[in-house]
Amino acid sequence: MDCWFDNEHRNLRRQIRAWVKNNLSPGDHGQGNLETNACRLANQLGQDGFMAYAVPSRFGGVRETVQARDLCLIREELAWGSALADVMFGVQALGSYPIALAGSEEQQRRYLPPLAKGERIAAFALTEPNAGSDVSAISTQAERDTNGYRLNGVKHFISNAGIAHTYVVFASTQPEAKAKGLSAFIVESNSAGFTVKEKTPLLSPHPIGVVAFDDCFVPQHQRLGGEGEGLKIALRTLDTLRCTVGAAAVGFAQRALDEAVGYSRKRRQFGHALAEFQGTQFKLADMATELEAARLLVHQAAWMNDQRHQELPLKSAIAKLFATEAAQRIVDQSLQIHGGNGVVVGNILERLYRDVRALRIYEGTSEIQRLIITKHLLKQEQPDGL
Ligand SMILES: Cc1cc2nc3c(=O)[nH]c(=O)nc-3n(C[C@H](O)[C@H](O)[C@H](O)COP(=O)(O)OP(=O)(O)OC[C@H]3O[C@@H](n4cnc5c(N)ncnc54)[C@H](O)[C@@H]3O)c2cc1C
């Protein structure tokens, strides 16, 4: 079952599981001030050594290179306990990874250690009002200026907008080249011309909003990679992080299944526990089967990432698509088993029902995963005789 992992991974799973058991408070489930709770979680996950798994060891991290298996194990366990804790870890990894991937020695030395400690918070700013699935429509521009660039444009749906200190921003340095003209920049939140325009409330606790660049000056030394390398940096980051979204889905689904098993044992109708009805048993069996398949796909994709396997983009897309769609079905079935109690505000199933939804949208919608999968299928050679 866990053939993709070694003892260090198993140890990490034990540690993060214990952390979830001992550290979560009501604020981690959406009560109280969202941003205060989000920052506290990011700081604590940093202090307790988990954010360090998103950074290479030379710059305050744990492993020589960042491993998707570590990220997946952490997200799976955090999502089991709290959607907000998962978001804070997942987005920190999303914002740190491009710097670990493409940053110069100087950039990595400056930005990664405080991110590894959770002292600073990261964000990844790709999406725009008119450029969601279609990255080639990005219109934020980075025009050359003396010793740097002037950024102009708007990004929306940016997780951690308003609480992040370090934004990795994708903007066009060559608009006529569309997606191939994108470049990546590290923008600090206190840069002149950078503003947070809106905080966007979502159905699940998740700090997110709109950021704008008005003649925002970014020095040349804060460009990440070469001019025109932005798309490559964004796609390689998403290839690695995509399976971790699947891992969060597995965490939510495992929690939904655990709750369904527990509730169906306790709740009695017609003189029997729900678990004694074959109709309930079949539901539980289907949920467990889908969950197992989702988990295997996610772990396989994470392992492939760590082996630098050439099929990673395909396997990562398959894992995200299946795990996030399956988790939605599993949570829905668990809620059904909970009957009316499942839709009462504050019930764990009501929470999971909201928490699981966005996973099918961010870091590439389910439809975009299908396009990636089919592109690979159509590229393959036909077997002999067909
Ligand atoms: C919770 C959350 C967190 C996010 N965090 C970040 C972040 O930190 N940084 C960031 O940059 N972005 C972030 N995003 C943005 C996210 O990546 C986009 O929402 C996503 O890529 C989809 O873009 P869109 O919302 O503009 O939808 P659209 O691209 O407008 O798509 C709308 C619908 O059309 C479908 N569609 C689009 N094109 C096709 C096609 N060719 N064929 C078939 N169907 C198609 C889509 O699948 C979708 O169902 C976040 C979004 C959410 C919801």
Side-chain angles (χ1 to χ4, degrees), residues 226-244:
E227 270 194 19
E229 287 183 4
L231 182 68
K232 192 172 79 184
I233 294 169
L235 294 184
R236 282 186 58 193
T237 299
L238 292 172
D239 280 343
T240 293
L241 270 292
R242 204 160 259 156
C243 62
T244 78

Side-chain angles (χ1 to χ4, degrees), residues 77-122:
E77 296 298 327
L78 290 177
W80 189 94
S82 152
L84 183 58
D86 168 60
V87 165
M88 294 320 295
F89 179 79
V91 180
Q92 189 82 338
L94 181 67
S96 307
Y97 196 81
I99 304 176
L101 183 72
S104 64
E105 175 81 18
E106 167 57 25
Q107 288 168 339
Q108 297 192 344
R109 212 169 329 116
R110 178 160 176 208
Y111 290 105
L112 292 178
L115 295 176
K117 289 193 199 124
E119 291 166 356
R120 292 172 81 80
I121 295 178

Side-chain angles (χ1 to χ4, degrees), residues 23 46 48 51 56 89 110 118 122 142 158 166 171 180 194 222 224 229 243 261 314 317 324 339 344 358 377:
N23 287 278
D48 294 343
M51 291 301 196
F89 179 79
R110 178 160 176 208
I158 305 308
T166 308
K180 290 193 176 137
F194 172 88
Q222 281 177 217
L224 205 47
E229 287 183 4
C243 62
V261 170
L314 169 66
T324 58
V344 173
L377 284 181

